[in-house]
Amino acid sequence: MMIGKVYNINPVQLQDKTKMKAMDRVEPAYDSVDISDEARQASEAYFLNQVAKETPDVREDLVASIKEKIKDPNYLNPERIALTADRVMAAYGL
């Protein structure tokens, strides 16, 4: 069935103009998000956990260089041993 003009008014054109007027009255809406402190802390903990998982437990390059130094008999002398012991004690707060 075809919609005909009534009193020289096209109902399709009338509907389009009504929609346009309604669209002019619509105010734009803006979304916002509030993130709680607890969510921020959980996000930071997750990030740090991921970094810890991706970080190797042993630095192979450092271990290899120290092994090479220890092979030298002059490397382990009383002064170096005392210095190392002091650093270990300081790391534990002693």
Side-chain angles (χ1 to χ4, degrees), residues 12-93:
V12 175
Q13 287 178 343
L14 180 63
Q15 185 179 11
D16 287 345
K17 288 180 182 177
T18 305
K19 284 183 180 178
M20 292 300 288
K21 287 180 184 177
M23 293 293 286
D24 289 340
R25 292 189 305 253
V26 174
E27 293 291 324
Y30 300 100
D31 292 335
S32 66
V33 176
D34 292 324
I35 300 173
S36 68
D37 289 337
E38 183 180 354
R40 289 180 202 274
Q41 290 172 353
S43 173
E44 184 177 346
Y46 176 79
F47 172 74
L48 293 175
N49 189 31
Q50 290 300 106
V51 169
K53 284 182 182 178
E54 295 170 5
T55 304
D57 291 337
V58 177
R59 291 183 45 198
E60 297 293 333
D61 58 332
L62 185 59
V63 171
S65 70
I66 292 173
K67 282 183 179 182
E68 286 299 314
K69 289 179 182 180
I70 291 175
K71 287 180 183 177
D72 179 11
N74 296 325
Y75 182 75
L76 292 177
N77 56 42
E79 293 83 22
R80 186 163 317 271
I81 292 171
L83 178 63
T84 303
D86 289 342
R87 289 182 180 172
V88 170
M89 300 288 279
Y92 287 104

